[in-house]
Amino acid sequence: MVTLCQQAEKSAAPPNSPGLRQPAQGNENQMNKKGYFGNWGGAYIPEVLYETFRQLNEAFEQVKNDPAFWQEYVDLMSTYSCRPTPLTHAENLSRHFGGGQIYIKREDLNHTGAHKANNVMGQGLLVKRMGKKRVIAETGAGQHGVATATMAAKFGFACTIYMGEEDVMRQRPNVFWMEKMGATVVPVTSGARTLKDAINEAFRDWVSSMDDTHYVMGTVCGPHPFPEMVAWFQSIIGIEARKQILKQFGKLPERVYACVGGGSNAMGIFQGFLADRAVDLIGVEAGGKGIETGQHAARLASSDASVGVAQGYKTMFLQNSDGQMLDTHSVAAGLDYIGVSPILSDLWEKKRVRFAAATDTEVMAALDLTMKKEGIIPALESTHAFVQAFKEAPELQPDQAIIINQSGRGDKDIFTIAHAFDDPSWKAFIRGKGADYAA
Amino acid sequence: MVTLCQQAEKSAAPPNSPGLRQPAQGNENQMNKKGYFGNWGGAYIPEVLYETFRQLNEAFEQVKNDPAFWQEYVDLMSTYSCRPTPLTHAENLSRHFGGGQIYIKREDLNHTGAHKANNVMGQGLLVKRMGKKRVIAETGAGQHGVATATMAAKFGFACTIYMGEEDVMRQRPNVFWMEKMGATVVPVTSGARTLKDAINEAFRDWVSSMDDTHYVMGTVCGPHPFPEMVAWFQSIIGIEARKQILKQFGKLPERVYACVGGGSNAMGIFQGFLADRAVDLIGVEAGGKGIETGQHAARLASSDASVGVAQGYKTMFLQNSDGQMLDTHSVAAGLDYIGVSPILSDLWEKKRVRFAAATDTEVMAALDLTMKKEGIIPALESTHAFVQAFKEAPELQPDQAIIINQSGRGDKDIFTIAHAFDDPSWKAFIRGKGADYAA
Amino acid sequence: MQLEQQLRAARAQKDILLMTHLVLGYPSFEVNREVIRQMVENGVDIIELQIPFSEPMADGPVIMMANQEAINAGATVKQCFEFAAEMAATYDIPFLFMTYYNILFKYGEEEFFKKSKEIGIKGFIVPDLPPEEGDKYLALARQYELAPIQIFAPTSREERMRFLAANGAGFIYCVARKGVTGKKSSFNEEFATYMARCRAATDLPLAVGFGIADRSDVETLTGKADIAVIGTATIKLVEEKGPAAVGPFIASLR
Amino acid sequence: MQLEQQLRAARAQKDILLMTHLVLGYPSFEVNREVIRQMVENGVDIIELQIPFSEPMADGPVIMMANQEAINAGATVKQCFEFAAEMAATYDIPFLFMTYYNILFKYGEEEFFKKSKEIGIKGFIVPDLPPEEGDKYLALARQYELAPIQIFAPTSREERMRFLAANGAGFIYCVARKGVTGKKSSFNEEFATYMARCRAATDLPLAVGFGIADRSDVETLTGKADIAVIGTATIKLVEEKGPAAVGPFIASLR
Ligand SMILES: Cc1ncc(COP(=O)(O)O)c(C=O)c1O
Ligand SMILES: Cc1ncc(COP(=O)(O)O)c(C=O)c1O
């Protein structure tokens, strides 16, 4: 079966930055020479990495134009992970809201539990081609770290993961798995000790280790060619989703929803529909405690962000008037980031993608509903997309469909979710375990 | 893609107890009228359930002979779960052992993280046909409970899960998810407060609730028709695996390994190869602290078990000379059970399936190796199969293959695994969390 | 004398017979001995001796715990036989073994019948052994002239009841309601219909069990059934008030 | 006078020039003031004033923490300008701004150049702004006659060095090794080859930075480079021994 699927995939997957290069789309989302998407992107890198980026660009250009590489990638993802991931018709939720048919793209069923696997395995194949022996990565919640550690184990690379000290403490389960997979996890003690600081730290490693080391950027951010490259690997989501909805529903969806941290899962699914002008694309950011509180991570859905350049690229950042980055907040660690993909900033500016924000509270309610109605546990990140989809579903007719990209599974978030639900039995359980381990 | 896959599946799935009825197999594994496999099985049920079982048998006979039902099942599993699950070539492990090629059947990539989903979703469809509105289930570690709660949410059934009080305390994360999915989890305080007691309790519920309630037995045990029915649903594993290995490796495997708790994942994959006489089938039971210590759950791989009748069926049980069941032990809760599938007892007696045991210590070592070499985290249950496969892989040649059935993923077992590895950071983390929750 | 005749004889003297139940070895054989004495002295007509089993699937919480405790306290099948022998020798009423099939199976079915016959047991109640699984058991029952008591449930259809009755002897144990032992049953109209169905299906005496706890229950049954079965109620009583309370309780029932 | 001329004039007097670095607002502008006094009085030839940025990607732990602390202590870009104006007015040596591009970008690049020119700043070091991204920046540098100091790294190829030099002015900042600021560099044969490559690529004065910590480092550089850059070393010194230790340290270097 797998191979049949692979063939279906094969004939359909343009080896050349699929979504970004669709003709109907014109050139507006195509990168110019300097790695820009419209006014956004670029490569603001220290001189010491110039040569490394030159080589990386070259290697990426090569694989992008090599259909065999894309095929190798699709094969790997269909035997090591579970691609194509299914598109699930959420019949109960659809009925519940009484509007459009809700379909869920199941990236949670990937190996390691999130869309992160797509990017990481793709970069792994690239690293193999480049002949490097070690990978490094930043991680926030730990999903990208676990995915990278997994890839490194599979490919036999040495692996170091940078993770904010705060996050190391909060996300111990993921740290445990990374270590068990053979990776070294380095707690980052600078800055806010979270994702952005881990990115800085990974760059600090890379500027001395680049000869044998590749930095596996976890999302569609950072200096060129990372945004384009990560988007390219993630485009597999949208390619599949478009075919699936046509097959299962018989026509295109009205709207496609995805949560936006850095933007990789969103770009992944959006690329499948960019050329379909009638399909409304909605990115959902972290509304945290509410936009008005300032404690959020809504770059494009709020008016709190402004154009800036940091971490190697130009985009909309949450920063103060001096250009110092702000602390962000979200119940979902993976959305808790100052910047956003330059590709999304471009699509936002061009009004091709619409943005909304979901608050922590709305997220917990949507999570609860989704578990109870469908037996599906989306990651807290993914649940943001569900919130907005639920708000809008009633606007549609039963013969219309929407797709929600479920970027990951929530059972990894048990500590956070059980805490957020303020579950007394969970607390008692943890207290008991803690007591067992005391002394 | 999904639908292409579905079609491939369609043409291949015999709607009639596939593995158990393959002609080359003769009739030896076919059940006789009374629900026996050779000398094993039967339906030792209280009179009050007679009518319920009659209806269940009737309903099962109907769907078994209805190709549309099997197709509905396959469709559901390919859009709600991730079937066909991939067959992963474990290149690094193969190289490491320098013998046969190791392939891993990835049941861990199922929705809810284990093969349990196959059985549960299948029974869910059956319940829908029977028009019942409520499901109950026993669960040990909680995997089957989570799967059943998930199915109940999806189908809109009320759901009660019986779980030994010990297990409720040990497996709080699973309890949390069951509850969040809308199920009621009832801690069972009788007996050893583990799996077998939960089964008794579920029967106690069923004898009064059978009019509107179906008991979703979690494995290929219990009274007829459960063993046959669960095996039928799980046969999807073996049907896929056989096709996949032929496609990916070009010939049949020499050996197929599966862990055996009740025996459902083992029967699932074995059925694909029962008719292939040359394929050696190996069931791996829990060796616990060592067969010699008596603290294990090896029914067929030790000489500690004897024929008995309990929980509604005749099989090999770990019991004393009076017929009282013994306490069993395994690091893997899902293998920690007194009985074993009557179908497996039959295949064991007929020497078609060979049995081995893996100790807790061997399991932890194999888990460590698998994580580091392949970036894959098998469930502790599944890891038992890996242990025996690793022992035997060197006996084979590189142009021969073996398949290990990875029945589930291990990241759900974090509390158990981190504890078993005696991880100091994990303990510190839990201590810290515990302190946070201590008012 | 075979069980059925013995019961018919007793029934000729009384409007309704009383059958009581206890779990052997719980809390101890000593207490069992005292409880039985009180039962017999206060007019119980027949006693069910449950040989404890670790997986008493059809029993409710009280009897289930009693099974567990008896095993934990070390009660063996051998001791149960010894104790039963003593009781059957001491008292003139019929004693039955109630247990789950695995106990017979592991003991050796033939041996189990032989030994039971020897010590004067009159019949068996084995709730997890339907006739379909009981070829050997039923043949041995005929051979040893021990009653393989069959069970009717409210869910049993007419045809099924006839089939069960044909395979049974001694009396029929009519489970008063769905569910396990120990919960209250309500003897309403539905129950009356059920009893009528039971009566129509067999000539064997009818015992009714599950949830019978007091005199009014017994009164309700009088005329509808031949035997009222008191199970959980006495076990709870012994737990709460000790064996001495059993006599007065039994005396109060009829 | 433009920066290059000014440095050539100074260099004519000394075998090697000393450039020092500090993070504005860390630990406070008061301490900055005292440190600069000690530096100038002990013969420092040029000073890099780092305007703190929250994401100092190219800096090692010491300078990174200094950035963070300065921001936490409330240092603003406006204060940095005020302080720099005061220093440039007080001392006769060239002052440069070192910072990351976002600081210029958010301030408004033109405004940043204009203001810097006004207060007497001589040039900028912006480690995350390669010439490819700096069209406007480089144009403004020409317009305002401020030196857009370019950086060479050991990984820069010859062609690349020429390109950088063509876009640079004032001097070239040669990063002594791969990696971030703050770790020791070893000035071995490989380093000598690297310096020869730098020299061959440009006529601009060469500064060498990253990990220069003592007199022997400075001696090693003498003859190979025009300027030795001391960065992390003084920050650590101030942290450990206070600003008063800076003068003697600087005096000991050459
Ligand atoms: C499950 C999941 N979804 C979404 C995100 C956000 O990243 P992105 O916007 O790049 O998809 C993350 C990041 O960790 C994640 O783990
Ligand atoms: C992952 C996994 N594997 C195996 C088992 C054992 O069950 P079975 O032998 O029925 O496959 C369990 C039971 O909980 C399980 O969760």
Side-chain angles (χ1 to χ4, degrees):
Chain A
M1 264 88 49
V2 165
T3 24
L4 258 183
C5 304
Q6 286 165 11
Q7 263 152 9
E9 189 60 41
K10 201 180 304 192
S11 55
N16 245 343
S17 297
L20 296 176
R21 299 237 175 149
Q22 295 187 23
Q25 166 74 8
N27 277 331
E28 63 187 341
N29 292 106
Q30 190 174 338
M31 271 193 350
N32 65 31
K33 269 216 204 85
K34 294 166 85 181
Y36 277 82
F37 299 85
N39 300 311
W40 314 88
Y44 296 80
I45 51 170
E47 175 58 21
V48 68
L49 285 176
Y50 177 83
E51 186 58 22
T52 306
F53 271 90
R54 203 189 54 69
Q55 288 164 9
L56 182 59
N57 273 300
E58 203 175 283
F60 177 54
E61 281 303 317
Q62 262 174 29
V63 303
K64 218 169 54 176
N65 295 302
D66 178 0
F69 181 87
W70 183 261
Q71 191 51 45
E72 191 184 348
Y73 169 63
V74 171
D75 288 353
L76 175 66
M77 293 310 288
S78 67
T79 59
Y80 185 63
S81 187
C82 206
R83 304 219 69 93
T85 58
L87 183 70
T88 302
H89 185 197
E91 290 166 290
N92 303 328
L93 284 172
S94 305
R95 239 191 325 270
H96 180 76
F97 289 108
Q101 299 306 315
I102 301 176
Y103 283 82
I104 302 175
K105 178 63 174 164
R106 301 293 301 282
E107 291 304 301
D108 59 307
L109 292 173
N110 267 302
H111 183 50
T112 75
H115 70 294
K116 299 282 173 191
N118 304 329
N119 169 36
V120 149
M121 297 309 296
Q123 292 199 43
L125 286 175
L126 189 65
V127 173
K128 220 172 84 178
R129 288 226 177 174
M130 291 192 295
K132 296 193 170 183
K133 300 276 176 262
R134 176 174 176 263
V135 289
I136 57 176
E138 88 289 351
T139 196
Q143 298 278 57
H144 177 56
V146 169
T148 304
T150 300
M151 176 272 274
K154 171 79 177 162
F155 284 109
F157 303 142
C159 179
T160 302
I161 303 292
Y162 291 93
M163 189 169 182
E165 193 180 44
E166 275 289 309
D167 290 328
V168 168
M169 290 188 314
R170 288 189 296 195
Q171 310 286 341
R172 175 57 55 185
N174 283 334
V175 175
F176 176 78
W177 296 122
M178 288 182 240
E179 290 178 346
K180 277 291 150 203
M181 234 98 69
T184 303
V185 180
V186 179
V188 173
T189 54
S190 57
R193 304 169 187 213
T194 57
L195 180 58
K196 70 175 180 57
D197 310 288
I199 293 179
N200 293 335
E201 232 17 76
F203 272 113
R204 289 187 188 109
D205 178 315
W206 209 18
V207 295
S208 38
S209 65
M210 64 287 221
D211 289 346
D212 72 339
T213 296
H214 175 70
Y215 174 13
V216 185
M217 172 71 65
T219 187
V220 273
C221 293
H224 175 67
F226 282 118
E228 189 196 352
M229 183 164 70
V230 177
W232 191 60
F233 288 125
Q234 294 291 6
S235 72
I236 197 168
I237 305 174
I239 292 171
E240 290 175 7
R242 189 174 191 280
K243 269 188 250 166
Q244 289 168 326
I245 194 80
L246 287 176
K247 195 82 192 175
Q248 293 176 225
F249 186 67
K251 60 179 184 180
L252 287 172
E254 302 303 310
R255 303 179 188 176
V256 177
Y257 299 83
C259 70
V260 178
S264 65
N265 87 85
M267 277 312 300
I269 195 158
F270 289 170
Q271 282 174 93
F273 303 93
L274 269 182
D276 304 309
R277 294 261 145 204
V279 179
D280 199 8
L281 307 174
I282 301 98
V284 189
E285 297 183 307
K289 301 188 175 168
I291 301 295
E292 68 290 354
T293 66
Q295 296 196 57
H296 62 80
R299 291 78 30 117
L300 301 176
S302 78
S303 51
D304 292 356
S306 60
V307 191
V309 175
Q311 308 207 308
Y313 67 112
K314 181 186 282 182
T315 197
M316 293 292 280
F317 284 102
L318 288 164
Q319 54 182 337
N320 70 15
S321 58
D322 265 4
Q324 311 297 3
M325 298 299 146
L326 299 174
D327 281 355
T328 53
H329 168 84
S330 172
V331 68
L335 303 188
D336 204 351
Y337 177 56
I338 48 169
V340 65
S341 174
I343 315 181
L344 285 173
S345 288
D346 182 45
L347 293 168
W348 162 76
E349 198 175 39
K350 289 174 178 143
K351 302 210 171 5
R352 180 65 189 93
V353 176
R354 168 157 70 83
F355 283 82
T359 65
D360 293 355
T361 310
E362 289 171 328
V363 162
M364 296 316 292
L367 174 59
D368 200 54
L369 187 72
T370 305
M371 290 191 288
K372 295 225 164 41
K373 288 280 169 197
E374 299 291 344
I376 285 175
I377 312 175
L380 288 171
E381 288 80 6
S382 322
T383 311
H384 284 71
F386 285 70
V387 169
Q388 189 63 22
F390 291 173
K391 285 182 193 166
E392 299 184 9
E395 300 167 7
L396 299 175
Q397 300 305 313
D399 65 344
Q400 298 181 306
I402 62 175
I403 302 180
I404 306 172
N405 197 29
Q406 184 178 343
S407 53
R409 57 177 152 88
D411 59 345
K412 290 202 158 210
D413 294 335
I414 177 115
F415 281 92
T416 315
I417 293 180
H419 180 82
F421 279 119
D422 204 22
D423 189 78
S425 309
W426 172 259
K427 291 183 176 179
F429 166 70
I430 293 296
R431 264 199 309 274
K433 287 266 169 200
D436 290 351
Y437 287 148
Chain B
M1 263 92 43
V2 164
T3 23
L4 258 183
C5 303
Q6 286 166 11
Q7 262 152 9
E9 188 61 40
K10 200 180 303 193
S11 56
N16 244 343
S17 298
L20 295 176
R21 300 238 173 147
Q22 295 187 21
Q25 166 75 12
N27 277 331
E28 64 187 339
N29 292 105
Q30 191 175 337
M31 273 192 349
N32 65 32
K33 270 217 204 82
K34 294 167 83 183
Y36 276 83
F37 299 85
N39 301 310
W40 314 88
Y44 296 80
I45 50 169
E47 175 58 22
V48 68
L49 285 177
Y50 177 84
E51 186 58 23
T52 307
F53 272 90
R54 204 191 52 70
Q55 288 164 7
L56 181 60
N57 273 299
E58 203 175 281
F60 177 53
E61 281 305 316
Q62 262 174 27
V63 303
K64 219 168 56 177
N65 295 303
D66 177 359
F69 181 87
W70 183 262
Q71 190 51 43
E72 190 184 348
Y73 170 62
V74 171
D75 288 353
L76 175 65
M77 294 310 288
S78 68
T79 59
Y80 185 64
S81 186
C82 206
R83 302 216 72 91
T85 58
L87 183 70
T88 302
H89 185 197
E91 290 167 290
N92 303 328
L93 285 170
S94 304
R95 240 193 324 272
H96 180 77
F97 290 108
Q101 299 307 315
I102 301 175
Y103 282 82
I104 302 175
K105 178 64 174 162
R106 301 292 301 283
E107 291 303 302
D108 59 307
L109 292 174
N110 266 302
H111 183 50
T112 75
H115 71 293
K116 299 282 173 192
N118 304 328
N119 169 38
V120 148
M121 297 309 298
Q123 291 199 45
L125 286 175
L126 189 63
V127 174
K128 220 172 83 178
R129 287 225 177 174
M130 291 192 295
K132 296 193 170 181
K133 300 275 176 265
R134 175 174 175 262
V135 291
I136 57 176
E138 87 289 352
T139 194
Q143 298 278 56
H144 177 57
V146 169
T148 304
T150 299
M151 175 273 274
K154 171 80 179 162
F155 284 109
F157 302 142
C159 179
T160 302
I161 304 293
Y162 291 93
M163 188 169 182
E165 193 181 43
E166 276 289 308
D167 290 329
V168 168
M169 289 188 314
R170 288 189 297 194
Q171 310 287 340
R172 175 58 53 186
N174 283 334
V175 176
F176 176 77
W177 295 123
M178 288 181 241
E179 291 178 345
K180 277 289 150 204
M181 236 99 67
T184 304
V185 180
V186 178
V188 174
T189 55
S190 57
R193 306 169 186 212
T194 57
L195 180 58
K196 69 174 181 57
D197 310 288
I199 293 178
N200 293 335
E201 233 16 76
F203 272 114
R204 289 188 188 109
D205 178 316
W206 209 19
V207 294
S208 38
S209 64
M210 64 286 216
D211 288 346
D212 71 339
T213 297
H214 175 70
Y215 175 11
V216 184
M217 173 69 66
T219 186
V220 275
C221 292
H224 174 67
F226 282 119
E228 188 196 352
M229 184 165 69
V230 177
W232 191 61
F233 288 125
Q234 293 292 4
S235 72
I236 196 167
I237 305 175
I239 292 171
E240 289 174 7
R242 189 173 191 278
K243 268 187 251 166
Q244 288 169 325
I245 193 81
L246 287 176
K247 194 86 192 171
Q248 292 175 226
F249 187 66
K251 60 179 184 180
L252 287 172
E254 303 303 310
R255 303 178 188 178
V256 178
Y257 298 84
C259 69
V260 179
S264 66
N265 86 85
M267 276 314 301
I269 194 159
F270 289 170
Q271 282 173 95
F273 304 94
L274 269 180
D276 304 308
R277 293 260 147 207
V279 179
D280 199 7
L281 307 175
I282 301 99
V284 189
E285 296 182 308
K289 300 189 174 166
I291 300 295
E292 69 288 355
T293 65
Q295 296 196 55
H296 62 80
R299 290 78 30 118
L300 302 175
S302 79
S303 52
D304 292 356
S306 59
V307 191
V309 175
Q311 309 208 306
Y313 67 112
K314 182 187 281 182
T315 197
M316 294 292 280
F317 284 103
L318 289 164
Q319 54 182 334
N320 70 15
S321 57
D322 265 4
Q324 311 296 3
M325 299 299 146
L326 299 174
D327 282 354
T328 52
H329 167 83
S330 172
V331 68
L335 304 186
D336 203 353
Y337 177 57
I338 49 169
V340 65
S341 175
I343 315 181
L344 285 172
S345 287
D346 183 45
L347 293 167
W348 162 76
E349 198 174 41
K350 290 177 176 139
K351 302 211 172 0
R352 180 64 189 95
V353 176
R354 169 159 68 83
F355 284 82
T359 65
D360 292 355
T361 311
E362 289 171 329
V363 163
M364 296 316 292
L367 175 58
D368 200 55
L369 188 72
T370 305
M371 289 192 288
K372 295 225 163 41
K373 288 280 171 197
E374 300 292 345
I376 285 174
I377 311 174
L380 287 171
E381 288 79 6
S382 322
T383 311
H384 284 71
F386 285 69
V387 168
Q388 190 62 21
F390 291 172
K391 284 182 191 166
E392 299 184 9
E395 298 167 8
L396 299 175
Q397 299 306 312
D399 65 345
Q400 298 180 307
I402 62 175
I403 302 180
I404 305 172
N405 197 29
Q406 184 177 342
S407 53
R409 57 178 152 88
D411 59 345
K412 289 203 160 208
D413 295 335
I414 177 117
F415 281 92
T416 316
I417 293 181
H419 180 82
F421 278 120
D422 205 21
D423 189 80
S425 310
W426 172 258
K427 292 183 176 178
F429 166 70
I430 293 296
R431 264 199 309 274
K433 287 264 170 203
D436 289 351
Y437 287 149
Chain C
M1 199 164 36
Q2 282 195 13
L3 181 59
E4 186 182 339
Q5 285 65 49
Q6 206 171 351
L7 292 175
R8 289 202 184 280
R11 175 70 171 78
Q13 315 291 320
K14 302 178 184 167
D15 288 343
I16 192 159
L17 303 181
L18 286 184
M19 175 162 99
T20 52
H21 162 277
L22 43 75
V23 176
L24 295 176
Y26 176 76
S28 68
F29 287 104
E30 288 64 47
V31 172
N32 289 160
R33 190 176 283 111
E34 172 60 14
V35 167
I36 290 171
R37 193 181 65 79
Q38 302 238 356
M39 285 172 170
V40 179
E41 288 181 359
N42 287 281
V44 158
D45 304 287
I46 171 168
I47 296 182
E48 238 185 301
L49 302 172
Q50 179 163 1
I51 306 178
F53 178 48
S54 57
E55 319 303 318
M57 189 205 253
D59 282 301
V62 174
I63 298 185
M64 181 177 74
M65 285 306 289
N67 274 260
Q68 195 61 45
E69 297 285 312
I71 295 167
N72 291 348
T76 63
V77 175
K78 186 159 175 288
Q79 290 170 345
C80 292
F81 269 108
E82 287 162 6
F83 179 83
E86 180 193 329
M87 292 303 106
T90 309
Y91 301 109
D92 199 24
I93 61 163
F95 286 90
L96 310 175
F97 272 148
M98 183 269 173
T99 193
Y100 288 83
Y101 182 55
N102 201 46
I103 297 295
L104 282 75
F105 183 82
K106 275 298 278 187
Y107 197 85
E109 276 180 280
E110 170 118 39
E111 195 55 29
F112 196 94
F113 273 89
K114 197 165 148 236
K115 183 89 185 175
S116 298
K117 184 76 185 180
E118 247 172 59
I119 65 171
I121 290 292
K122 301 290 173 175
F124 303 146
I125 301 174
V126 186
D128 65 345
L129 191 69
E132 288 85 348
E133 299 291 358
D135 285 355
K136 189 171 173 193
Y137 169 84
L138 295 171
L140 286 165
R142 277 187 296 275
Q143 183 185 334
Y144 285 92
E145 298 190 323
L146 286 173
I149 291 144
Q150 297 296 341
I151 297 167
F152 285 1
T155 51
S156 310
R157 299 187 180 195
E158 190 189 324
E159 186 189 4
R160 175 77 183 164
M161 284 182 174
R162 293 194 190 284
F163 170 72
L164 292 167
N167 284 287
F171 63 92
I172 294 289
Y173 192 123
C174 304
V175 168
R177 53 160 172 73
K178 297 174 192 169
V180 290
T181 54
K183 278 187 220 144
K184 196 91 190 84
S185 299
S186 60
F187 301 111
N188 51 17
E189 209 169 315
E190 201 180 319
F191 174 74
T193 318
Y194 164 51
M195 285 310 295
R197 291 203 300 119
C198 296
R199 189 68 293 164
T202 183
D203 290 332
L204 287 169
L206 298 180
V208 173
F210 281 39
I212 295 167
D214 57 25
R215 184 187 190 104
S216 92
D217 290 342
V218 176
E219 271 172 9
T220 313
L221 289 182
T222 307
K224 296 194 185 73
D226 303 295
I227 309 169
V229 186
I230 293 100
T232 305
T234 39
I235 296 188
K236 270 201 220 157
L237 191 68
V238 175
E239 280 172 0
E240 286 162 15
K241 307 201 172 146
V246 172
F249 169 66
I250 298 292
S252 78
L253 288 176
R254 197 168 43 180
Chain D
M1 200 164 35
Q2 282 194 14
L3 180 62
E4 185 183 341
Q5 283 67 48
Q6 204 171 352
L7 293 175
R8 290 201 186 281
R11 175 72 169 77
Q13 315 292 320
K14 300 177 184 169
D15 288 343
I16 192 160
L17 303 181
L18 287 184
M19 175 161 97
T20 52
H21 161 276
L22 41 76
V23 176
L24 294 177
Y26 176 73
S28 67
F29 287 103
E30 289 63 48
V31 172
N32 287 160
R33 191 177 282 111
E34 171 60 14
V35 167
I36 290 172
R37 194 182 63 80
Q38 300 238 356
M39 285 172 169
V40 179
E41 287 181 0
N42 286 279
V44 159
D45 303 288
I46 171 168
I47 296 181
E48 238 185 300
L49 303 172
Q50 179 163 0
I51 305 177
F53 178 49
S54 57
E55 319 302 318
M57 189 206 254
D59 281 300
V62 173
I63 297 183
M64 182 177 74
M65 285 306 289
N67 274 260
Q68 195 60 47
E69 297 285 310
I71 295 167
N72 291 348
T76 62
V77 176
K78 184 158 177 285
Q79 289 170 346
C80 291
F81 268 108
E82 285 162 8
F83 180 82
E86 179 193 332
M87 292 303 108
T90 309
Y91 301 110
D92 199 25
I93 61 164
F95 286 91
L96 310 175
F97 272 146
M98 184 267 173
T99 193
Y100 289 82
Y101 181 56
N102 201 45
I103 297 296
L104 282 74
F105 183 81
K106 275 296 279 187
Y107 197 85
E109 276 181 279
E110 170 120 38
E111 194 56 29
F112 196 93
F113 272 88
K114 196 165 149 235
K115 183 91 185 175
S116 298
K117 184 76 185 182
E118 246 171 60
I119 65 172
I121 289 293
K122 301 289 175 174
F124 303 145
I125 302 175
V126 186
D128 65 345
L129 191 70
E132 287 86 349
E133 299 290 359
D135 286 355
K136 187 169 174 194
Y137 169 84
L138 294 172
L140 286 166
R142 275 188 298 275
Q143 182 186 335
Y144 285 91
E145 297 190 324
L146 286 174
I149 291 145
Q150 298 294 340
I151 296 168
F152 285 1
T155 51
S156 310
R157 298 188 180 194
E158 191 190 323
E159 188 190 0
R160 174 78 182 163
M161 284 183 174
R162 292 192 193 285
F163 170 72
L164 292 168
N167 283 288
F171 63 92
I172 294 288
Y173 191 122
C174 304
V175 169
R177 51 162 174 75
K178 294 172 193 169
V180 288
T181 54
K183 280 188 218 143
K184 196 90 190 85
S185 300
S186 60
F187 301 111
N188 53 18
E189 210 169 315
E190 203 181 316
F191 174 74
T193 317
Y194 163 51
M195 285 311 295
R197 291 205 299 118
C198 296
R199 188 68 293 163
T202 182
D203 290 333
L204 286 168
L206 298 179
V208 173
F210 279 39
I212 294 166
D214 56 26
R215 185 188 188 104
S216 92
D217 289 343
V218 175
E219 270 171 9
T220 313
L221 289 182
T222 307
K224 296 194 185 71
D226 302 296
I227 307 169
V229 186
I230 291 101
T232 304
T234 40
I235 296 188
K236 271 201 219 158
L237 191 68
V238 175
E239 280 172 2
E240 286 161 15
K241 307 200 174 150
V246 173
F249 169 66
I250 296 293
S252 78
L253 288 175
R254 194 169 47 180

